[in-house]
Amino acid sequence: MNFSFFNPAAYLTAQPAPVDGLTGKIIFGVFLLFCLLGVVGRIMLEQRTFDRYVIRIMNRWSTCLLTMGFLGLMIFFLSYENIPLLGARFWYVLWVIGFLVWTFFLVRFMTREVPALREKNLREHAKSKYLPGRKRA
């Protein structure tokens, strides 16, 4: 395993990360797994058998995974081709920071906004059953 990839002092250079050996295969596998999970999420969204809030959550997660997987594969390719600035190690750090921030906002959406939207929908549904007009299920 190439442990120079995990050396914190090397992340401030413009040199490409060494992505050969087992470390490179693991990193490539993680990025490819993100892409595949994003595609599977998109395929599951086509079935539309879920609650609308679950669909919104799955849509956001699949977008996150597909985007971050594709960006990760691009960074990996640029590192593999030894392109000095575009394949630099700091892009991996920025990728991890971006993924963590995106995940934070997704978890916040799932824990705060979706329950509030469900409650608002239930209140509106309870109020609308007394109003004239088209019946809603």
Side-chain angles (χ1 to χ4, degrees), residues 11-32:
Y11 282 101
L12 300 176
T13 65
Q15 294 301 318
V19 290
D20 53 347
L22 183 61
T23 304
K25 290 177 184 177
I26 291 172
I27 293 169
F28 180 74
V30 167
F31 293 149
L32 195 61

mmCIF file of all heavy atoms in Angstrom, residues 11-32:
data_model
loop_
_atom_site.group_PDB
_atom_site.id
_atom_site.type_symbol
_atom_site.label_atom_id
_atom_site.label_comp_id
_atom_site.label_asym_id
_atom_site.label_seq_id
_atom_site.Cartn_x
_atom_site.Cartn_y
_atom_site.Cartn_z
ATOM 1 N N TYR A 11 -0.003 17.398 0.714
ATOM 2 C CA TYR A 11 -1.226 17.907 0.103
ATOM 3 C C TYR A 11 -1.125 19.360 -0.321
ATOM 4 O O TYR A 11 -2.032 19.881 -0.945
ATOM 5 C CB TYR A 11 -2.419 17.725 1.045
ATOM 6 C CG TYR A 11 -2.906 16.301 1.039
ATOM 7 C CD1 TYR A 11 -2.563 15.431 2.051
ATOM 8 C CD2 TYR A 11 -3.667 15.828 -0.004
ATOM 9 C CE1 TYR A 11 -2.994 14.123 2.031
ATOM 10 C CE2 TYR A 11 -4.107 14.528 -0.040
ATOM 11 C CZ TYR A 11 -3.765 13.684 0.983
ATOM 12 O OH TYR A 11 -4.184 12.386 0.947
ATOM 13 N N LEU A 12 -0.038 20.042 0.008
ATOM 14 C CA LEU A 12 0.119 21.435 -0.388
ATOM 15 C C LEU A 12 0.971 21.594 -1.641
ATOM 16 O O LEU A 12 1.251 22.711 -2.049
ATOM 17 C CB LEU A 12 0.724 22.242 0.768
ATOM 18 C CG LEU A 12 -0.128 22.246 2.047
ATOM 19 C CD1 LEU A 12 0.595 22.988 3.151
ATOM 20 C CD2 LEU A 12 -1.483 22.857 1.785
ATOM 21 N N THR A 13 1.364 20.511 -2.243
ATOM 22 C CA THR A 13 2.157 20.585 -3.468
ATOM 23 C C THR A 13 1.249 20.452 -4.683
ATOM 24 O O THR A 13 0.107 20.024 -4.581
ATOM 25 C CB THR A 13 3.205 19.454 -3.504
ATOM 26 O OG1 THR A 13 2.523 18.208 -3.577
ATOM 27 C CG2 THR A 13 4.096 19.494 -2.279
ATOM 28 N N ALA A 14 1.792 20.833 -5.826
ATOM 29 C CA ALA A 14 1.032 20.727 -7.073
ATOM 30 C C ALA A 14 1.302 19.407 -7.780
ATOM 31 O O ALA A 14 0.818 19.188 -8.884
ATOM 32 C CB ALA A 14 1.384 21.892 -7.990
ATOM 33 N N GLN A 15 2.071 18.537 -7.152
ATOM 34 C CA GLN A 15 2.377 17.253 -7.764
ATOM 35 C C GLN A 15 1.175 16.315 -7.681
ATOM 36 O O GLN A 15 0.452 16.319 -6.700
ATOM 37 C CB GLN A 15 3.578 16.607 -7.059
ATOM 38 C CG GLN A 15 4.862 17.378 -7.248
ATOM 39 C CD GLN A 15 5.220 17.503 -8.722
ATOM 40 O OE1 GLN A 15 5.088 16.564 -9.487
ATOM 41 N NE2 GLN A 15 5.653 18.696 -9.116
ATOM 42 N N PRO A 16 0.964 15.527 -8.710
ATOM 43 C CA PRO A 16 -0.160 14.584 -8.695
ATOM 44 C C PRO A 16 0.013 13.512 -7.621
ATOM 45 O O PRO A 16 1.127 13.157 -7.262
ATOM 46 C CB PRO A 16 -0.132 13.954 -10.076
ATOM 47 C CG PRO A 16 0.735 14.812 -10.898
ATOM 48 C CD PRO A 16 1.669 15.521 -9.986
ATOM 49 N N ALA A 17 -1.097 13.040 -7.140
ATOM 50 C CA ALA A 17 -1.077 11.977 -6.138
ATOM 51 C C ALA A 17 -0.731 10.655 -6.815
ATOM 52 O O ALA A 17 -1.182 10.391 -7.930
ATOM 53 C CB ALA A 17 -2.439 11.876 -5.477
ATOM 54 N N PRO A 18 0.061 9.822 -6.148
ATOM 55 C CA PRO A 18 0.335 8.497 -6.716
ATOM 56 C C PRO A 18 -0.885 7.599 -6.545
ATOM 57 O O PRO A 18 -1.294 7.289 -5.432
ATOM 58 C CB PRO A 18 1.523 7.998 -5.894
ATOM 59 C CG PRO A 18 1.423 8.732 -4.610
ATOM 60 C CD PRO A 18 0.789 10.052 -4.913
ATOM 61 N N VAL A 19 -1.481 7.222 -7.631
ATOM 62 C CA VAL A 19 -2.690 6.401 -7.573
ATOM 63 C C VAL A 19 -2.438 5.016 -8.162
ATOM 64 O O VAL A 19 -3.319 4.408 -8.739
ATOM 65 C CB VAL A 19 -3.871 7.097 -8.295
ATOM 66 C CG1 VAL A 19 -4.339 8.290 -7.507
ATOM 67 C CG2 VAL A 19 -3.505 7.483 -9.699
ATOM 68 N N ASP A 20 -1.240 4.533 -7.973
ATOM 69 C CA ASP A 20 -0.941 3.183 -8.426
ATOM 70 C C ASP A 20 -1.018 2.237 -7.236
ATOM 71 O O ASP A 20 -1.035 2.641 -6.087
ATOM 72 C CB ASP A 20 0.450 3.138 -9.064
ATOM 73 C CG ASP A 20 1.511 3.721 -8.149
ATOM 74 O OD1 ASP A 20 1.138 4.370 -7.154
ATOM 75 O OD2 ASP A 20 2.705 3.537 -8.424
ATOM 76 N N GLY A 21 -1.100 0.987 -7.515
ATOM 77 C CA GLY A 21 -1.135 -0.009 -6.459
ATOM 78 C C GLY A 21 -2.503 -0.138 -5.811
ATOM 79 O O GLY A 21 -3.535 0.247 -6.366
ATOM 80 N N LEU A 22 -2.501 -0.665 -4.595
ATOM 81 C CA LEU A 22 -3.732 -0.948 -3.881
ATOM 82 C C LEU A 22 -4.480 0.330 -3.502
ATOM 83 O O LEU A 22 -5.712 0.379 -3.575
ATOM 84 C CB LEU A 22 -3.434 -1.779 -2.630
ATOM 85 C CG LEU A 22 -4.642 -2.219 -1.809
ATOM 86 C CD1 LEU A 22 -5.547 -3.104 -2.659
ATOM 87 C CD2 LEU A 22 -4.187 -2.944 -0.567
ATOM 88 N N THR A 23 -3.757 1.379 -3.130
ATOM 89 C CA THR A 23 -4.401 2.643 -2.764
ATOM 90 C C THR A 23 -5.198 3.204 -3.937
ATOM 91 O O THR A 23 -6.337 3.644 -3.778
ATOM 92 C CB THR A 23 -3.349 3.676 -2.310
ATOM 93 O OG1 THR A 23 -2.590 3.130 -1.247
ATOM 94 C CG2 THR A 23 -4.008 4.952 -1.863
ATOM 95 N N GLY A 24 -4.616 3.194 -5.103
ATOM 96 C CA GLY A 24 -5.299 3.685 -6.288
ATOM 97 C C GLY A 24 -6.530 2.865 -6.625
ATOM 98 O O GLY A 24 -7.563 3.409 -7.014
ATOM 99 N N LYS A 25 -6.436 1.552 -6.460
ATOM 100 C CA LYS A 25 -7.588 0.694 -6.743
ATOM 101 C C LYS A 25 -8.720 0.944 -5.758
ATOM 102 O O LYS A 25 -9.895 0.955 -6.136
ATOM 103 C CB LYS A 25 -7.171 -0.773 -6.704
ATOM 104 C CG LYS A 25 -6.287 -1.168 -7.866
ATOM 105 C CD LYS A 25 -5.845 -2.601 -7.760
ATOM 106 C CE LYS A 25 -4.882 -2.936 -8.894
ATOM 107 N NZ LYS A 25 -4.365 -4.298 -8.789
ATOM 108 N N ILE A 26 -8.376 1.170 -4.488
ATOM 109 C CA ILE A 26 -9.406 1.450 -3.481
ATOM 110 C C ILE A 26 -10.083 2.786 -3.773
ATOM 111 O O ILE A 26 -11.316 2.895 -3.722
ATOM 112 C CB ILE A 26 -8.796 1.421 -2.069
ATOM 113 C CG1 ILE A 26 -8.402 -0.003 -1.698
ATOM 114 C CG2 ILE A 26 -9.763 2.004 -1.037
ATOM 115 C CD1 ILE A 26 -7.618 -0.111 -0.414
ATOM 116 N N ILE A 27 -9.292 3.799 -4.086
ATOM 117 C CA ILE A 27 -9.850 5.125 -4.383
ATOM 118 C C ILE A 27 -10.730 5.063 -5.629
ATOM 119 O O ILE A 27 -11.846 5.609 -5.645
ATOM 120 C CB ILE A 27 -8.715 6.154 -4.543
ATOM 121 C CG1 ILE A 27 -8.017 6.371 -3.206
ATOM 122 C CG2 ILE A 27 -9.236 7.479 -5.081
ATOM 123 C CD1 ILE A 27 -6.742 7.154 -3.297
ATOM 124 N N PHE A 28 -10.248 4.387 -6.655
ATOM 125 C CA PHE A 28 -11.053 4.240 -7.868
ATOM 126 C C PHE A 28 -12.352 3.488 -7.576
ATOM 127 O O PHE A 28 -13.419 3.851 -8.075
ATOM 128 C CB PHE A 28 -10.236 3.507 -8.942
ATOM 129 C CG PHE A 28 -10.974 3.304 -10.224
ATOM 130 C CD1 PHE A 28 -11.182 4.369 -11.085
ATOM 131 C CD2 PHE A 28 -11.469 2.058 -10.568
ATOM 132 C CE1 PHE A 28 -11.871 4.183 -12.283
ATOM 133 C CE2 PHE A 28 -12.155 1.864 -11.751
ATOM 134 C CZ PHE A 28 -12.355 2.934 -12.605
ATOM 135 N N GLY A 29 -12.265 2.452 -6.743
ATOM 136 C CA GLY A 29 -13.451 1.679 -6.384
ATOM 137 C C GLY A 29 -14.475 2.507 -5.621
ATOM 138 O O GLY A 29 -15.681 2.384 -5.849
ATOM 139 N N VAL A 30 -14.012 3.380 -4.727
ATOM 140 C CA VAL A 30 -14.933 4.236 -3.970
ATOM 141 C C VAL A 30 -15.647 5.203 -4.915
ATOM 142 O O VAL A 30 -16.867 5.376 -4.838
ATOM 143 C CB VAL A 30 -14.179 4.990 -2.859
ATOM 144 C CG1 VAL A 30 -15.030 6.099 -2.268
ATOM 145 C CG2 VAL A 30 -13.744 4.028 -1.770
ATOM 146 N N PHE A 31 -14.895 5.825 -5.815
ATOM 147 C CA PHE A 31 -15.513 6.767 -6.757
ATOM 148 C C PHE A 31 -16.489 6.055 -7.690
ATOM 149 O O PHE A 31 -17.571 6.565 -7.987
ATOM 150 C CB PHE A 31 -14.454 7.499 -7.574
ATOM 151 C CG PHE A 31 -13.599 8.434 -6.761
ATOM 152 C CD1 PHE A 31 -12.292 8.681 -7.118
ATOM 153 C CD2 PHE A 31 -14.102 9.084 -5.648
ATOM 154 C CE1 PHE A 31 -11.509 9.555 -6.391
ATOM 155 C CE2 PHE A 31 -13.325 9.955 -4.906
ATOM 156 C CZ PHE A 31 -12.020 10.186 -5.277
ATOM 157 N N LEU A 32 -16.107 4.876 -8.144
ATOM 158 C CA LEU A 32 -16.989 4.101 -9.011
ATOM 159 C C LEU A 32 -18.239 3.641 -8.256
ATOM 160 O O LEU A 32 -19.346 3.664 -8.814
ATOM 161 C CB LEU A 32 -16.235 2.899 -9.579
ATOM 162 C CG LEU A 32 -16.873 2.192 -10.752
ATOM 163 C CD1 LEU A 32 -17.011 3.148 -11.931
ATOM 164 C CD2 LEU A 32 -16.040 0.994 -11.152
#
